[in-house]
Amino acid sequence: MALTKKMGHASLKGKKPDNTSKVKRTVTNNPGRIKNKLKRSEMYGKYLLEKKARKRQTRIQREKEAEALGDDAEIRKQVTRTLDNTRETEVTTVQPDDDEILADEAEDEFAPYFSDEIRPKILLTTRPCPSAELFHFISDLMRFFPQLYYYPRKSFSVKEICTFGSNRKFTHLIVLSEKKKVCNGMLFSHL
């Protein structure tokens, strides 16, 4: 392939060059439209180099501004954009010091449990014929929760167990169910 001085490459005969104004084009950050893999990777590499140069220039600019302000002035740092600090404030958002919300929380029926005024006493039972595998889970629950007591279900209905628990000052009832020797359900009830 012969290169001529005036025409450039032989394959460009009769074609105008794309950039006749000699203006440097900025490389886009989406070279995915380029079909040629080598050209695409080259364009992406140029984009990365330009991005690195822009970051370096902004860093140098920030350092110059900090130097001009001196030691007495507080250095302005860029705040990292997060979901919390970029979120638009809504009028319906509940404020933590809202009087109405504090009153609702004080009147809540479970407020004494959260303020540790009342310790929950929990009655635990299972379905009528539990498997041996369920007892491993029950022993783990008994180690995890204080004041958790297991009573076998036998042939009692849930209504009878609720009256039994409320008579003995239990505050909650948990009924475990299982399928194929795996616990698949947990029913909580506040007595």
Side-chain angles (χ1 to χ4, degrees), residues 122-126 148 172-176 186-189:
I122 305 168
L123 170 65
L124 176 70
T125 188
T126 61
L148 179 79
H172 295 84
L173 169 71
I174 298 177
V175 180
L176 298 176
M186 186 181 290
L187 180 122
F188 286 95
S189 178

Side-chain angles (χ1 to χ4, degrees), residues 58-76:
T58 56
R59 189 187 76 237
I60 291 170
Q61 183 68 28
R62 280 196 312 266
E63 289 172 358
K64 285 181 183 177
E65 287 175 4
E67 194 175 296
L69 291 173
D71 295 334
D72 298 335
E74 189 176 308
I75 298 173
R76 294 184 314 175

Side-chain angles (χ1 to χ4, degrees), residues 96-110:
D97 56 345
D98 190 11
D99 293 332
E100 185 179 346
I101 299 301
L102 293 174
D104 284 346
E105 288 178 356
E107 293 174 4
D108 186 20
E109 64 178 304
F110 294 107

Side-chain angles (χ1 to χ4, degrees), residues 147-166:
Q147 292 190 328
L148 179 79
Y149 301 96
Y150 170 72
Y151 286 94
R153 173 80 175 263
K154 296 185 181 174
S155 62
F156 299 111
S157 67
V158 175
K159 188 174 182 180
E160 292 171 333
I161 292 172
C162 287
T163 56
F164 170 81
S166 61

Side-chain angles (χ1 to χ4, degrees), residues 1 8 26 30 33 71 73 97 135 139 141 181:
M1 297 193 173
T26 59
N30 185 12
R33 59 180 167 70
D71 295 334
D97 56 345
F135 287 101
S139 66
L141 283 176
K181 297 186 179 184

